[in-house]
mmCIF file of all heavy atoms in Angstrom:
data_model
loop_
_atom_site.group_PDB
_atom_site.id
_atom_site.type_symbol
_atom_site.label_atom_id
_atom_site.label_comp_id
_atom_site.label_asym_id
_atom_site.label_seq_id
_atom_site.Cartn_x
_atom_site.Cartn_y
_atom_site.Cartn_z
ATOM 1 N N GLU A 26 0.916 14.473 -5.879
ATOM 2 C CA GLU A 26 1.139 14.740 -4.462
ATOM 3 C C GLU A 26 0.743 13.536 -3.603
ATOM 4 O O GLU A 26 1.428 13.198 -2.645
ATOM 5 C CB GLU A 26 0.352 15.978 -4.029
ATOM 6 C CG GLU A 26 0.900 17.268 -4.583
ATOM 7 C CD GLU A 26 0.023 18.457 -4.225
ATOM 8 O OE1 GLU A 26 -0.999 18.275 -3.532
ATOM 9 O OE2 GLU A 26 0.365 19.573 -4.653
ATOM 10 N N LEU A 27 -0.353 12.895 -3.969
ATOM 11 C CA LEU A 27 -0.791 11.698 -3.244
ATOM 12 C C LEU A 27 0.245 10.593 -3.363
ATOM 13 O O LEU A 27 0.606 9.948 -2.382
ATOM 14 C CB LEU A 27 -2.150 11.234 -3.771
ATOM 15 C CG LEU A 27 -2.733 9.992 -3.111
ATOM 16 C CD1 LEU A 27 -3.074 10.289 -1.651
ATOM 17 C CD2 LEU A 27 -3.971 9.542 -3.860
ATOM 18 N N TRP A 28 0.752 10.383 -4.579
ATOM 19 C CA TRP A 28 1.765 9.348 -4.799
ATOM 20 C C TRP A 28 3.040 9.652 -4.007
ATOM 21 O O TRP A 28 3.639 8.761 -3.429
ATOM 22 C CB TRP A 28 2.076 9.214 -6.283
ATOM 23 C CG TRP A 28 3.189 8.256 -6.556
ATOM 24 C CD1 TRP A 28 4.420 8.543 -7.030
ATOM 25 C CD2 TRP A 28 3.174 6.840 -6.341
ATOM 26 N NE1 TRP A 28 5.179 7.405 -7.135
ATOM 27 C CE2 TRP A 28 4.425 6.328 -6.704
ATOM 28 C CE3 TRP A 28 2.217 5.946 -5.859
ATOM 29 C CZ2 TRP A 28 4.750 4.983 -6.613
ATOM 30 C CZ3 TRP A 28 2.543 4.602 -5.779
ATOM 31 C CH2 TRP A 28 3.794 4.147 -6.156
ATOM 32 N N GLU A 29 3.433 10.902 -3.972
ATOM 33 C CA GLU A 29 4.632 11.285 -3.219
ATOM 34 C C GLU A 29 4.446 11.066 -1.721
ATOM 35 O O GLU A 29 5.367 10.642 -1.032
ATOM 36 C CB GLU A 29 5.024 12.738 -3.510
ATOM 37 C CG GLU A 29 5.648 12.938 -4.871
ATOM 38 C CD GLU A 29 6.897 12.089 -5.084
ATOM 39 O OE1 GLU A 29 7.733 11.981 -4.161
ATOM 40 O OE2 GLU A 29 7.022 11.504 -6.179
ATOM 41 N N SER A 30 3.258 11.349 -1.213
ATOM 42 C CA SER A 30 3.018 11.118 0.215
ATOM 43 C C SER A 30 3.012 9.617 0.524
ATOM 44 O O SER A 30 3.510 9.202 1.575
ATOM 45 C CB SER A 30 1.725 11.779 0.671
ATOM 46 O OG SER A 30 0.611 11.185 0.047
ATOM 47 N N VAL A 31 2.490 8.806 -0.376
ATOM 48 C CA VAL A 31 2.527 7.349 -0.189
ATOM 49 C C VAL A 31 3.964 6.854 -0.228
ATOM 50 O O VAL A 31 4.378 6.033 0.599
ATOM 51 C CB VAL A 31 1.648 6.634 -1.253
ATOM 52 C CG1 VAL A 31 1.893 5.134 -1.265
ATOM 53 C CG2 VAL A 31 0.175 6.928 -1.011
ATOM 54 N N ARG A 32 4.742 7.337 -1.173
ATOM 55 C CA ARG A 32 6.159 6.930 -1.255
ATOM 56 C C ARG A 32 6.925 7.345 -0.001
ATOM 57 O O ARG A 32 7.766 6.602 0.495
ATOM 58 C CB ARG A 32 6.813 7.529 -2.497
ATOM 59 C CG ARG A 32 6.479 6.788 -3.764
ATOM 60 C CD ARG A 32 7.094 7.434 -4.980
ATOM 61 N NE ARG A 32 8.383 8.053 -4.703
ATOM 62 C CZ ARG A 32 9.482 7.837 -5.399
ATOM 63 N NH1 ARG A 32 9.438 7.022 -6.414
ATOM 64 N NH2 ARG A 32 10.603 8.455 -5.109
ATOM 65 N N SER A 33 6.630 8.530 0.498
ATOM 66 C CA SER A 33 7.284 8.994 1.723
ATOM 67 C C SER A 33 6.896 8.118 2.908
ATOM 68 O O SER A 33 7.739 7.765 3.732
ATOM 69 C CB SER A 33 6.894 10.444 1.984
ATOM 70 O OG SER A 33 7.331 10.856 3.244
ATOM 71 N N PHE A 34 5.628 7.745 2.980
ATOM 72 C CA PHE A 34 5.155 6.867 4.051
ATOM 73 C C PHE A 34 5.845 5.511 3.977
ATOM 74 O O PHE A 34 6.296 4.977 4.995
ATOM 75 C CB PHE A 34 3.631 6.709 3.947
ATOM 76 C CG PHE A 34 3.030 5.861 5.021
ATOM 77 C CD1 PHE A 34 2.953 6.327 6.323
ATOM 78 C CD2 PHE A 34 2.520 4.607 4.730
ATOM 79 C CE1 PHE A 34 2.382 5.554 7.315
ATOM 80 C CE2 PHE A 34 1.955 3.828 5.716
ATOM 81 C CZ PHE A 34 1.881 4.297 7.014
ATOM 82 N N ILE A 35 5.964 4.951 2.786
ATOM 83 C CA ILE A 35 6.621 3.651 2.617
ATOM 84 C C ILE A 35 8.108 3.760 2.927
ATOM 85 O O ILE A 35 8.689 2.872 3.555
ATOM 86 C CB ILE A 35 6.361 3.092 1.210
ATOM 87 C CG1 ILE A 35 4.890 2.657 1.113
ATOM 88 C CG2 ILE A 35 7.279 1.918 0.892
ATOM 89 C CD1 ILE A 35 4.449 2.187 -0.240
ATOM 90 N N ALA A 36 8.729 4.862 2.539
ATOM 91 C CA ALA A 36 10.147 5.046 2.854
ATOM 92 C C ALA A 36 10.357 5.142 4.358
ATOM 93 O O ALA A 36 11.349 4.628 4.881
ATOM 94 C CB ALA A 36 10.674 6.301 2.163
ATOM 95 N N THR A 37 9.414 5.753 5.058
ATOM 96 C CA THR A 37 9.522 5.867 6.506
ATOM 97 C C THR A 37 9.275 4.523 7.184
ATOM 98 O O THR A 37 9.909 4.199 8.182
ATOM 99 C CB THR A 37 8.512 6.897 7.044
ATOM 100 O OG1 THR A 37 8.700 8.123 6.344
ATOM 101 C CG2 THR A 37 8.691 7.134 8.525
ATOM 102 N N GLY A 38 8.349 3.728 6.635
ATOM 103 C CA GLY A 38 7.970 2.474 7.267
ATOM 104 C C GLY A 38 8.707 1.249 6.788
ATOM 105 O O GLY A 38 8.631 0.201 7.411
ATOM 106 N N GLY A 39 9.376 1.334 5.669
ATOM 107 C CA GLY A 39 10.136 0.190 5.180
ATOM 108 C C GLY A 39 9.378 -0.617 4.133
ATOM 109 O O GLY A 39 8.197 -0.409 3.870
ATOM 110 N N ASN A 40 10.099 -1.558 3.556
ATOM 111 C CA ASN A 40 9.551 -2.348 2.453
ATOM 112 C C ASN A 40 8.443 -3.309 2.880
ATOM 113 O O ASN A 40 7.704 -3.794 2.034
ATOM 114 C CB ASN A 40 10.670 -3.137 1.771
ATOM 115 C CG ASN A 40 11.592 -2.227 0.994
ATOM 116 O OD1 ASN A 40 11.180 -1.167 0.538
ATOM 117 N ND2 ASN A 40 12.836 -2.642 0.855
ATOM 118 N N VAL A 41 8.310 -3.566 4.163
ATOM 119 C CA VAL A 41 7.238 -4.446 4.635
ATOM 120 C C VAL A 41 5.871 -3.843 4.310
ATOM 121 O O VAL A 41 4.896 -4.563 4.134
ATOM 122 C CB VAL A 41 7.409 -4.722 6.147
ATOM 123 C CG1 VAL A 41 6.251 -5.504 6.708
ATOM 124 C CG2 VAL A 41 8.704 -5.459 6.393
ATOM 125 N N LEU A 42 5.818 -2.528 4.182
ATOM 126 C CA LEU A 42 4.543 -1.881 3.853
ATOM 127 C C LEU A 42 4.036 -2.291 2.480
ATOM 128 O O LEU A 42 2.825 -2.283 2.243
ATOM 129 C CB LEU A 42 4.677 -0.357 3.947
ATOM 130 C CG LEU A 42 4.824 0.192 5.355
ATOM 131 C CD1 LEU A 42 4.963 1.701 5.324
ATOM 132 C CD2 LEU A 42 3.659 -0.206 6.227
ATOM 133 N N TYR A 43 4.920 -2.668 1.572
ATOM 134 C CA TYR A 43 4.476 -3.189 0.274
ATOM 135 C C TYR A 43 3.704 -4.492 0.464
ATOM 136 O O TYR A 43 2.697 -4.737 -0.199
ATOM 137 C CB TYR A 43 5.658 -3.427 -0.663
ATOM 138 C CG TYR A 43 6.272 -2.167 -1.218
ATOM 139 C CD1 TYR A 43 7.581 -1.821 -0.910
ATOM 140 C CD2 TYR A 43 5.550 -1.331 -2.058
ATOM 141 C CE1 TYR A 43 8.150 -0.669 -1.419
ATOM 142 C CE2 TYR A 43 6.107 -0.166 -2.574
ATOM 143 C CZ TYR A 43 7.404 0.158 -2.253
ATOM 144 O OH TYR A 43 7.962 1.298 -2.762
ATOM 145 N N VAL A 44 4.165 -5.325 1.373
ATOM 146 C CA VAL A 44 3.489 -6.595 1.643
ATOM 147 C C VAL A 44 2.133 -6.335 2.294
ATOM 148 O O VAL A 44 1.135 -6.973 1.948
ATOM 149 C CB VAL A 44 4.373 -7.514 2.517
ATOM 150 C CG1 VAL A 44 3.682 -8.833 2.791
ATOM 151 C CG2 VAL A 44 5.730 -7.738 1.875
ATOM 152 N N VAL A 45 2.085 -5.390 3.234
ATOM 153 C CA VAL A 45 0.807 -5.023 3.863
ATOM 154 C C VAL A 45 -0.149 -4.495 2.794
ATOM 155 O O VAL A 45 -1.332 -4.872 2.766
ATOM 156 C CB VAL A 45 1.009 -3.973 4.980
ATOM 157 C CG1 VAL A 45 -0.330 -3.445 5.485
ATOM 158 C CG2 VAL A 45 1.816 -4.550 6.128
ATOM 159 N N ALA A 46 0.339 -3.645 1.921
ATOM 160 C CA ALA A 46 -0.505 -3.082 0.862
ATOM 161 C C ALA A 46 -1.005 -4.167 -0.075
ATOM 162 O O ALA A 46 -2.177 -4.159 -0.485
ATOM 163 C CB ALA A 46 0.271 -2.018 0.083
ATOM 164 N N PHE A 47 -0.150 -5.118 -0.413
ATOM 165 C CA PHE A 47 -0.569 -6.212 -1.297
ATOM 166 C C PHE A 47 -1.647 -7.062 -0.627
ATOM 167 O O PHE A 47 -2.653 -7.403 -1.248
ATOM 168 C CB PHE A 47 0.638 -7.084 -1.683
ATOM 169 C CG PHE A 47 0.260 -8.265 -2.516
ATOM 170 C CD1 PHE A 47 -0.090 -8.110 -3.846
ATOM 171 C CD2 PHE A 47 0.237 -9.538 -1.959
ATOM 172 C CE1 PHE A 47 -0.453 -9.198 -4.618
ATOM 173 C CE2 PHE A 47 -0.118 -10.634 -2.720
ATOM 174 C CZ PHE A 47 -0.466 -10.464 -4.051
ATOM 175 N N ALA A 48 -1.456 -7.399 0.660
ATOM 176 C CA ALA A 48 -2.454 -8.189 1.393
ATOM 177 C C ALA A 48 -3.775 -7.433 1.482
ATOM 178 O O ALA A 48 -4.850 -8.011 1.305
ATOM 179 C CB ALA A 48 -1.935 -8.548 2.776
ATOM 180 N N LEU A 49 -3.695 -6.125 1.747
ATOM 181 C CA LEU A 49 -4.897 -5.297 1.832
ATOM 182 C C LEU A 49 -5.617 -5.237 0.493
ATOM 183 O O LEU A 49 -6.845 -5.393 0.423
ATOM 184 C CB LEU A 49 -4.519 -3.887 2.299
ATOM 185 C CG LEU A 49 -5.658 -2.896 2.486
ATOM 186 C CD1 LEU A 49 -6.576 -3.345 3.615
ATOM 187 C CD2 LEU A 49 -5.098 -1.518 2.785
ATOM 188 N N LEU A 50 -4.882 -5.041 -0.583
ATOM 189 C CA LEU A 50 -5.477 -4.983 -1.915
ATOM 190 C C LEU A 50 -6.153 -6.309 -2.273
ATOM 191 O O LEU A 50 -7.295 -6.331 -2.742
ATOM 192 C CB LEU A 50 -4.409 -4.635 -2.955
ATOM 193 C CG LEU A 50 -4.875 -4.567 -4.405
ATOM 194 C CD1 LEU A 50 -5.807 -3.373 -4.597
ATOM 195 C CD2 LEU A 50 -3.686 -4.464 -5.336
ATOM 196 N N LEU A 51 -5.468 -7.400 -2.026
ATOM 197 C CA LEU A 51 -6.021 -8.720 -2.319
ATOM 198 C C LEU A 51 -7.282 -8.976 -1.492
ATOM 199 O O LEU A 51 -8.298 -9.465 -2.009
ATOM 200 C CB LEU A 51 -4.959 -9.788 -2.045
ATOM 201 C CG LEU A 51 -5.268 -11.204 -2.464
ATOM 202 C CD1 LEU A 51 -5.470 -11.286 -3.967
ATOM 203 C CD2 LEU A 51 -4.125 -12.120 -2.037
ATOM 204 N N MET A 52 -7.235 -8.616 -0.217
ATOM 205 C CA MET A 52 -8.381 -8.802 0.664
ATOM 206 C C MET A 52 -9.589 -8.011 0.166
ATOM 207 O O MET A 52 -10.701 -8.535 0.084
ATOM 208 C CB MET A 52 -8.004 -8.367 2.081
ATOM 209 C CG MET A 52 -9.123 -8.421 3.085
ATOM 210 S SD MET A 52 -8.596 -7.922 4.736
ATOM 211 C CE MET A 52 -8.182 -6.203 4.510
ATOM 212 N N TRP A 53 -9.371 -6.756 -0.219
ATOM 213 C CA TRP A 53 -10.488 -5.927 -0.663
ATOM 214 C C TRP A 53 -11.017 -6.357 -2.027
ATOM 215 O O TRP A 53 -12.223 -6.262 -2.282
ATOM 216 C CB TRP A 53 -10.096 -4.452 -0.650
ATOM 217 C CG TRP A 53 -10.357 -3.888 0.700
ATOM 218 C CD1 TRP A 53 -9.446 -3.675 1.689
ATOM 219 C CD2 TRP A 53 -11.621 -3.527 1.233
ATOM 220 N NE1 TRP A 53 -10.072 -3.194 2.811
ATOM 221 C CE2 TRP A 53 -11.408 -3.099 2.557
ATOM 222 C CE3 TRP A 53 -12.919 -3.537 0.736
ATOM 223 C CZ2 TRP A 53 -12.450 -2.668 3.377
ATOM 224 C CZ3 TRP A 53 -13.954 -3.108 1.559
ATOM 225 C CH2 TRP A 53 -13.717 -2.681 2.853
ATOM 226 N N ILE A 54 -10.155 -6.822 -2.899
ATOM 227 C CA ILE A 54 -10.635 -7.339 -4.189
ATOM 228 C C ILE A 54 -11.553 -8.537 -3.953
ATOM 229 O O ILE A 54 -12.626 -8.642 -4.551
ATOM 230 C CB ILE A 54 -9.451 -7.707 -5.109
ATOM 231 C CG1 ILE A 54 -8.782 -6.439 -5.638
ATOM 232 C CG2 ILE A 54 -9.906 -8.587 -6.266
ATOM 233 C CD1 ILE A 54 -7.486 -6.682 -6.388
ATOM 234 N N MET A 55 -11.140 -9.424 -3.055
ATOM 235 C CA MET A 55 -11.965 -10.596 -2.769
ATOM 236 C C MET A 55 -13.274 -10.216 -2.087
ATOM 237 O O MET A 55 -14.323 -10.797 -2.388
ATOM 238 C CB MET A 55 -11.190 -11.583 -1.896
ATOM 239 C CG MET A 55 -10.111 -12.303 -2.624
ATOM 240 S SD MET A 55 -9.348 -13.488 -1.511
ATOM 241 C CE MET A 55 -8.087 -14.139 -2.573
ATOM 242 N N MET A 56 -13.235 -9.252 -1.169
ATOM 243 C CA MET A 56 -14.471 -8.847 -0.497
ATOM 244 C C MET A 56 -15.431 -8.167 -1.469
ATOM 245 O O MET A 56 -16.638 -8.422 -1.427
ATOM 246 C CB MET A 56 -14.169 -7.939 0.694
ATOM 247 C CG MET A 56 -13.646 -8.699 1.885
ATOM 248 S SD MET A 56 -13.671 -7.790 3.439
ATOM 249 C CE MET A 56 -12.471 -6.520 3.149
ATOM 250 N N ILE A 57 -14.928 -7.335 -2.350
ATOM 251 C CA ILE A 57 -15.789 -6.684 -3.345
ATOM 252 C C ILE A 57 -16.395 -7.727 -4.273
ATOM 253 O O ILE A 57 -17.584 -7.661 -4.603
ATOM 254 C CB ILE A 57 -15.001 -5.603 -4.118
ATOM 255 C CG1 ILE A 57 -14.707 -4.422 -3.196
ATOM 256 C CG2 ILE A 57 -15.760 -5.153 -5.359
ATOM 257 C CD1 ILE A 57 -13.715 -3.427 -3.763
#
């Protein structure tokens, strides 16, 4: 259900959200 809600959010917001998610993931990996 969580994955489906994320996919729905990305479908609503467009493929740019993948880039935002990648930047966020990279940022948090570096901060941790």
Side-chain angles (χ1 to χ4, degrees):
E26 289 175 1
L27 180 66
W28 175 248
E29 286 302 318
S30 65
V31 168
R32 281 178 33 129
S33 171
F34 182 71
I35 289 175
T37 306
N40 289 333
V41 174
L42 289 179
Y43 287 116
V44 180
V45 172
F47 176 74
L49 182 65
L50 179 68
L51 188 62
M52 176 179 65
W53 273 100
I54 287 172
M55 287 183 182
M56 284 195 293
I57 290 169

